[in-house]
Amino acid sequence: MDAYYYLVAGLPDISLDDGKLGYTVDSFKSEIYPYLSDKDKKVVDLFYLKFDNDNLLHLLKNRDYVINTSGMFNTDEILSVIDAVKDGDIPDKKYPSYFCKFISEYLTLSAEETYKANDMLSAYYYEYAMKSKNKFVSAWFEFNLNLNNIQAALSTRKYKLDVASMIVGDTEICGLLRTSNARDFGLGETLPYLDNIQRIAEIDELVEREKKIDQLKWEWLETESFFNYFTVERLFVFLLQLEMIERWISLDKEKGNELFRSMIQNLKDEVQIPEEFRN
C-alpha cells in the first residue's frame, strides 16, 4: 500500500460550512493526481469518471457539445469510443468497459426512450465502481447508490408514483426498494443509516434537506476512513469533501429553489402518461 505522507500532511483543513476555498477539484487533479501510483490513480479515476459520463451523454446527442474538462477524457477521445462502437469495433482498453456497453444500449433506444439514458449510464457506472478492489471506495459507491435510491423511493412513494422505475442498479437492496411495501422497505436491520435518511426526507425545505444529506455523507466518509491516515483513501475522502464544499459555495438559497423547480419539472417530463389517459 502506497503512503502519501507529504501529500496528506499538506492538505488544508476543510469543513462543510466553509464559505470559500483556495483549493478545488480541478487543482487536486493537476497538483496531486500526478504523484499517485498507477494503481491509486485508477481509484481516483472513479471519482472523475462521473464528469466523463455527463460528457458522453451530451456528445451522443450533439457532437459539437463543449465538454466539462474535469473528466479523464477529451472530446476526441470520447467521440472515438462512440464511433468505434457504431462501427462494431472494440475501443481501446484505456476506456472503462461500461462505456462500450452503455453506448451499444443507447444506440438501440427510440427517441421516446432516450429519457432512460441517464439512469442506464448511472447503473453501469455504479456497477463498475463497486467492483473496485479498494474496499473503502467500493463501499462508498455502494453507500451512495443506496442513499440516492432510498431518497428516490421515499419521494416517489410520497407522491404515489411508480417506485420501481426510479431505482437505479441491480443489487439486492435495489430489488427490495422496487418491490417492498414495508415502511422501511425491509432494510431496517440491513442499513444502519436508513432512519437518518427517512428523517431527512421529511424536511420540506429543499436546501436544508440537501445540506443534511451532505452532512450524512461527510460523517460516513470520516467514520469509514478513520484508520486510513496517509493512504489513497484519505485523498479520495478529501476530494469528495472538496466537491461538496464547492457545490455549496456556488449554491445559495435562491439557486437552491431554482434547482428544486427544475427537478420537479424534470420529474414531470420523465413520468410517462399511459396511453389511455392521454387526450
Side-chain angles (χ1 to χ4, degrees):
M1 180 182 294
D2 294 286
Y4 301 102
Y5 301 109
Y6 294 108
L7 288 180
V8 174
L11 296 177
D13 291 328
I14 57 176
S15 75
L16 192 54
D17 294 320
D18 283 349
K20 61 180 181 178
L21 280 174
Y23 211 86
T24 68
V25 166
D26 284 339
S27 57
F28 181 102
K29 187 179 176 185
S30 61
E31 296 176 18
I32 292 181
Y33 183 86
Y35 294 98
L36 303 181
S37 68
D38 289 343
K39 177 183 176 182
D40 289 341
K41 282 180 179 177
K42 290 180 180 179
V43 170
V44 175
D45 287 351
L46 293 172
F47 169 85
Y48 286 104
L49 277 174
K50 62 185 167 188
F51 301 110
D52 292 301
N53 291 343
D54 187 63
N55 290 336
L56 174 58
L57 275 172
H58 281 92
L59 288 171
L60 278 164
K61 299 173 185 176
N62 175 16
R63 294 175 71 90
D64 295 323
Y65 174 74
V66 179
I67 69 168
N68 181 338
T69 56
S70 295
M72 301 302 301
F73 306 110
N74 61 38
T75 300
D76 289 340
E77 289 174 316
I78 297 175
L79 288 176
S80 73
V81 181
I82 294 173
D83 292 338
V85 175
K86 286 182 176 179
D87 295 338
D89 298 328
I90 300 175
D92 191 296
K93 289 184 178 180
K94 73 176 182 178
Y95 303 107
S97 57
Y98 71 89
F99 271 25
C100 185
K101 289 193 294 183
F102 167 70
I103 296 168
S104 296
E105 191 168 348
Y106 179 89
L107 295 174
T108 68
L109 296 176
S110 66
E112 293 75 21
E113 294 176 317
T114 54
Y115 73 92
K116 300 177 181 178
N118 189 60
D119 284 351
M120 285 166 43
L121 182 53
S122 293
Y124 281 133
Y125 171 55
Y126 277 107
E127 180 184 22
Y128 179 81
M130 287 189 295
K131 290 179 180 177
S132 171
K133 293 181 181 179
N134 184 299
K135 292 182 179 180
F136 170 79
V137 172
S138 175
W140 158 253
F141 279 100
E142 182 178 4
F143 166 75
N144 213 38
L145 176 64
N146 291 340
L147 176 58
N148 292 338
N149 277 334
I150 292 167
Q151 289 184 92
L154 291 171
S155 179
T156 51
R157 178 184 277 183
K158 178 180 179 180
Y159 294 105
K160 296 180 169 44
L161 298 173
D162 177 36
V163 174
S165 64
M166 302 301 291
I167 303 303
V168 172
D170 194 30
T171 66
E172 183 177 346
I173 289 173
C174 292
L176 284 170
L177 289 171
R178 286 190 178 99
T179 59
S180 176
N181 293 318
R183 182 182 180 279
D184 65 354
F185 302 97
L187 297 171
E189 296 182 4
T190 304
L191 302 180
Y193 47 82
L194 180 62
D195 284 345
N196 283 339
I197 300 174
Q198 288 178 315
R199 282 194 293 270
I200 293 170
E202 294 172 359
I203 299 173
D204 292 328
E205 213 281 312
L206 174 70
V207 176
E208 181 185 355
R209 189 165 69 242
E210 288 292 305
K211 194 68 172 282
K212 292 290 185 183
I213 286 294
D214 275 0
Q215 287 172 343
L216 181 62
K217 291 179 180 179
W218 192 288
E219 290 167 6
W220 188 96
L221 288 167
E222 289 293 335
T223 300
E224 297 299 320
S225 67
F226 185 78
F227 293 106
N228 299 111
Y229 302 112
F230 298 100
T231 64
V232 69
E233 289 86 356
R234 174 50 56 186
L235 294 173
F236 192 82
V237 168
F238 177 78
L239 185 56
L240 290 166
Q241 293 176 333
L242 195 61
E243 182 189 33
M244 281 187 246
I245 298 170
E246 283 185 4
R247 176 171 174 261
W248 284 105
I249 289 174
S250 66
L251 187 65
D252 59 25
K253 189 167 184 177
E254 182 179 350
K255 290 180 181 177
N257 290 329
E258 290 176 5
L259 173 63
F260 176 72
R261 289 192 290 270
S262 174
M263 289 168 60
I264 293 299
Q265 185 58 51
N266 288 338
L267 180 61
K268 290 179 179 177
D269 292 341
E270 290 178 5
V271 172
Q272 300 301 295
I273 303 173
E275 187 68 36
E276 61 267 27
F277 293 111
R278 296 178 184 173
N279 293 324

